[in-house]
């Protein structure tokens, strides 16, 4: 069977996007790993799948798979590409699109300048995937990693994130610490690992070693989690510009249970077809 797809990216975090509303296919984890390979396959950080909604109040179901084949709860850069894709493919004409994900509902707003804002819901600081106390004075936690004691903050945007404050993202030991923290036993579902440098109260630099994909040029949920932790610790104030290796996002969050809003670009690179095994 030939599977039609579109290659897209959000600040260099790249995706294979597949419409399973007008196509029918089952893409197994092994096939995802093959397709994700940057030499033997198409190459991507995540596979994004568009399906009909299960909840009648939603427009689509948005499913996300990492390059290692694992299905996950959310992908922020992917959400912006999802919005552009469903409109480009005429699956909807709406400018405000409601999608259901494994991590909860998202609302996508496509602006005239083709930037997309995503209501990511409220950050969570002590969900089951992040078993750490999160009362008011527990804003940071220690983690023993490879003989050293790390100070981390944790937040979930549907998917789990650990945030490590560093003096310089350029000097941060992302390649060494990223995998060690991702697979640390304290994280029952593994974890995405953000390295955050505070530039000012409205600006950070960030690198993210992503669960299931490794370091990416940008991570939308990682940017949201870093800003949420920074605001909660009094280091940051909304709005915050997040500079990632692939470009910048704007994150707004007024705290508490109010939703966190992420705004940024979404680009289409090419359309293709690939035989599925
Ligand atoms: N690696 C993430 C999923 C993709 C998140 C990222 N690409 C984004 O833009 O939010 C996880 O395992 O939770």
């Amino acid at each position: 069977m030939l599977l039609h797809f579109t290659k897209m990216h959000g600040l260099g975090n790249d995706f294979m996007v597949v419409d399973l509303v007008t196509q029918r296919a089952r893409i197994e984890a092994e096939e995802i790993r093959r397709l994700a390979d940057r030499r033997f396959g198409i190459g991507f950080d995540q596979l994004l799948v568009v399906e009909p909604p299960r909840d009648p109040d939603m427009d689509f179901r948005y499913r996300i798979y990492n390059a290692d084949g694992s299905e996950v709860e959310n992908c922020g850069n992917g959400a912006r590409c999802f919005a552009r894709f469903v409109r480009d493919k005429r699956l909807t004409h709406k400018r405000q699109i409601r999608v259901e994900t494994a991590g909860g509902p998202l609302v996508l707003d496509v602006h005239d300048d083709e930037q997309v804002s995503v209501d990511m819901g409220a950050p969570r600081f002590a969900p089951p995937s992040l078993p750490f106390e999160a009362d008011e004075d527990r804003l940071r936690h220690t983690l023993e990693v490879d003989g050293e004691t790390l100070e981390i903050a944790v937040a979930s945007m549907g998917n789990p994130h650990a945030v490590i404050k560093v003096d310089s993202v350029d000097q941060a030991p992302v390649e060494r610490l990223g995998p060690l923290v991702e697979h640390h036993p304290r994280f029952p579902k593994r974890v995405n690992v953000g390295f955050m440098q505070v530039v000012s109260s409205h600006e950070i630099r960030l690198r993210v070693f992503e669960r299931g994909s490794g370091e990416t040029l940008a991570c939308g949920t990682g940017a949201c989690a870093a800003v949420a932790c920074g605001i909660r610790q009094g280091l940051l104030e909304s709005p915050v510009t997040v500079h990632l290796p692939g470009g910048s996002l704007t994150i707004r969050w007024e705290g508490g249970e109010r939703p966190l809003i992420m705004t940024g670009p979404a680009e289409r690179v090419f359309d293709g077809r690939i035989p599925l095994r």
Side-chain angles (χ1 to χ4, degrees):
M1 173 252 185
L2 272 182
L3 184 69
H4 293 256
F5 68 90
T6 299
K7 187 77 179 15
M8 302 187 79
H9 75 87
L11 303 179
N13 181 200
D14 66 335
F15 311 109
M16 172 185 182
V17 192
V18 172
D19 155 16
L20 292 191
V21 174
T22 64
Q23 298 181 107
R24 296 188 65 72
R26 269 190 65 75
I27 315 173
E28 303 294 342
E30 179 52 40
E31 184 80 22
I32 294 171
R33 286 190 287 273
R34 182 179 75 82
L35 295 169
D37 189 288
R38 294 192 184 283
R39 287 176 176 73
F40 295 101
I42 294 165
F44 52 75
D45 293 327
Q46 281 88 29
L47 166 67
L48 310 181
V49 175
V50 185
E51 292 189 356
R54 294 181 298 186
D55 175 342
D57 293 337
M58 295 288 153
D59 297 305
F60 298 101
R61 185 180 181 194
Y62 167 30
R63 300 183 77 172
I64 302 116
Y65 301 84
N66 282 321
D68 69 357
S70 56
E71 181 168 7
V72 291
E73 309 88 346
N74 197 358
C75 175
N77 288 320
R80 301 196 311 276
C81 290
F82 188 103
R84 288 291 308 276
F85 176 83
V86 293
R87 284 173 51 83
D88 291 352
K89 296 298 177 189
R90 308 247 182 289
L91 295 174
T92 183
H93 298 292
K94 292 182 177 179
R95 281 195 169 271
Q96 181 169 87
I97 302 157
R98 306 179 63 79
V99 301
E100 63 189 53
T101 73
L106 302 175
V107 181
L108 319 178
D109 284 289
V110 182
H111 304 302
D112 292 341
D113 62 0
E114 293 305 323
Q115 293 264 309
V116 182
S117 291
V118 183
D119 174 337
M120 300 287 284
R124 293 271 169 263
F125 296 101
S129 59
L130 292 169
F132 295 80
E133 310 73 50
D135 42 54
E136 274 323 296
D137 56 7
R138 289 304 306 268
L139 304 177
R140 297 174 191 81
H141 310 276
T142 56
L143 198 69
E144 300 304 318
V145 179
D146 195 26
E148 63 184 286
T149 301
L150 288 183
E151 187 176 77
I152 66 169
V154 294
S156 169
M157 297 307 301
N159 59 348
H161 290 266
V163 180
I164 302 167
K165 188 170 172 298
V166 295
D167 295 334
S168 159
V169 291
D170 300 319
Q171 314 301 323
V174 176
E175 294 76 15
R176 179 173 67 83
L177 283 183
L180 292 174
V181 177
E182 176 194 1
H183 295 278
H184 194 283
R186 278 305 299 270
F187 300 104
K189 296 174 70 177
R190 297 186 290 161
V191 75
N192 298 282
V193 191
F195 297 80
M196 171 174 76
Q197 173 186 343
V198 177
V199 175
S200 77
S201 59
H202 290 284
E203 198 174 357
I204 64 171
R205 296 181 68 203
L206 182 70
R207 288 173 67 184
V208 183
F209 187 91
E210 287 199 28
R211 175 180 63 170
S213 296
E215 182 174 7
T216 57
L217 290 177
C219 179
T221 52
C224 296
V227 169
C229 291
I231 289 175
R232 189 162 179 261
Q233 293 177 31
L235 301 171
L236 300 175
E237 288 171 56
S238 180
V240 178
T241 300
V242 181
H243 300 293
L244 298 131
S248 301
L249 292 171
T250 301
I251 310 286
R252 286 177 170 74
W253 183 48
E254 301 309 326
E257 290 303 306
R258 276 158 293 191
L260 185 148
I261 311 294
M262 167 191 63
T263 301
E267 304 294 335
R268 175 181 161 277
V269 183
F270 65 88
D271 285 304
R273 296 178 304 172
I274 189 160
L276 269 197
R277 287 186 183 160

